[in-house]
Amino acid sequence: MSSVRAGVAVTSLWVAIVLPFCAYAQNGAEQKPPMYYSLKRGAIVYADEEATRPYVRLGFMEPVFVLSSEGNWTRVRTQDGARGYIESRHLSNAWIRVSKSQKRLYFYRGMRLVLDFAADFGFNAYSDKIRQGTEDNPDDWRTPEGAFHVVRRNGRSQFYKAFVLNYPNAEDAERGLRDGIITERQYRAILQASDRLAEPPMSTPLGGMIEIHGDGTGKSINWTQGCVAIHNEGMDLLWDLVPVGTPVVIEK
């Protein structure tokens, strides 16, 4: 993955998620209601509390302001000013930042840092992921950089518990096709999964099964095959806080 591609991907997530949180924080909590984002593409905002009149459909990770919340329903205002009710389970303000240089994982609520943990990374922790690693080429077991999201939760991982990320994503597919690493057919399969917000093909030459998982050493060492590993106690804390769809930014 080129540094340009990773930069574009990280920028896109900051524009979609993090920058709205920054603007909210600068304006002050007393001036604006809390900002959340949609965990589900096509989540419906209803005009009435009985959910009988569909009003607006939200895009995946589309920001909204929370006006009130009670039980299973949350009253929101979109950035366009539309007001209505949405199922609470479709909203979140959680996101994860992973710093390879600092060797840490940070969990945020909006712009508020809630938790941080020492993290282990791939064998080559200082380079971006380009292709699938093998026993013969462990240097390619790298932790990718860019903007991702949790596409699946695995409570029975061989590494205790795991959040599976959507690597390779659409940007990875573009780079892989351009550089001749994957075929046109593999490229289309990754894009189709991205469009469906589904788990992408994991067995292409780009590699896959990049996770945030447990069994970390707590010593910030490089041993994984491209994953981010933290202590099991940290995974237990994150498990109830990180739903499918949670954004993950992995930085150099």
Side-chain angles (χ1 to χ4, degrees):
M1 176 169 23
S2 71
S3 59
V4 172
R5 201 284 297 171
V8 171
V10 172
T11 299
S12 68
L13 184 65
W14 275 82
V15 169
I17 297 296
V18 182
L19 285 185
F21 283 135
C22 289
Y24 162 71
Q26 290 171 356
N27 288 332
E30 73 283 358
Q31 296 178 357
K32 284 193 174 183
M35 180 170 280
Y36 282 60
Y37 62 85
S38 172
L39 285 170
K40 177 184 176 183
R41 181 174 58 192
I44 299 175
V45 177
Y46 293 90
D48 59 319
E49 209 168 351
E50 288 74 30
T52 58
R53 290 187 293 150
Y55 185 30
V56 175
R57 289 186 182 272
L58 299 180
F60 179 52
M61 295 187 184
E62 182 175 340
V64 295
F65 293 104
V66 170
L67 304 177
S68 62
S69 184
E70 183 176 346
N72 296 327
W73 292 91
T74 297
R75 187 167 179 260
V76 300
R77 185 181 77 235
T78 69
Q79 291 188 306
D80 294 333
R83 295 172 184 251
Y85 297 85
I86 185 173
E87 289 185 76
S88 301
R89 64 190 177 93
H90 293 323
L91 294 177
S92 178
N93 68 343
W95 63 286
I96 291 171
R97 179 170 69 91
V98 176
S99 172
K100 293 166 65 175
S101 61
Q102 297 171 3
K103 296 183 180 295
R104 298 196 74 82
L105 179 149
Y106 303 92
F107 174 79
Y108 291 85
R109 286 287 190 187
M111 293 307 296
R112 179 172 63 90
L113 178 62
V114 178
L115 298 167
D116 73 279
F117 308 100
D120 301 334
F121 294 93
F123 277 79
N124 185 341
Y126 304 101
S127 299
D128 203 350
K129 187 168 183 62
I130 297 174
R131 64 179 72 244
Q132 186 175 37
T134 64
E135 294 286 349
D136 294 331
N137 293 291
D139 180 75
D140 288 325
W141 281 330
R142 304 174 182 179
T143 301
E145 298 160 16
F148 306 98
H149 66 269
V150 175
V151 74
R152 180 165 61 87
R153 290 156 44 96
N154 182 5
R156 297 181 178 274
S157 168
Q158 64 174 313
F159 299 108
Y160 187 58
K161 296 176 181 176
F163 303 120
V164 182
L165 305 185
N166 66 320
Y167 175 90
N169 60 22
E171 288 82 7
D172 297 305
E174 294 284 353
R175 182 260 309 171
L177 183 64
R178 183 190 68 234
D179 294 347
I181 299 174
I182 59 174
T183 66
E184 179 75 29
R185 182 177 181 179
Q186 291 167 331
Y187 166 76
R188 289 197 303 269
I190 295 172
L191 290 192
Q192 288 170 2
S194 179
D195 288 342
R196 300 194 312 271
L197 303 178
E199 192 169 330
M202 301 291 191
S203 59
T204 75
L206 292 174
M209 289 308 298
I210 301 299
E211 302 174 334
I212 296 171
H213 61 61
D215 285 351
T217 66
K219 299 178 181 179
S220 299
I221 62 176
N222 306 328
W223 64 270
T224 76
Q225 295 185 1
C227 297
V228 179
I230 64 174
H231 262 151
N232 292 349
E233 293 84 353
M235 284 301 298
D236 285 337
L237 290 172
L238 290 177
W239 194 249
D240 292 332
L241 302 175
V242 178
V244 169
T246 298
V248 178
V249 178
I250 303 179
E251 305 172 337
K252 189 176 291 294

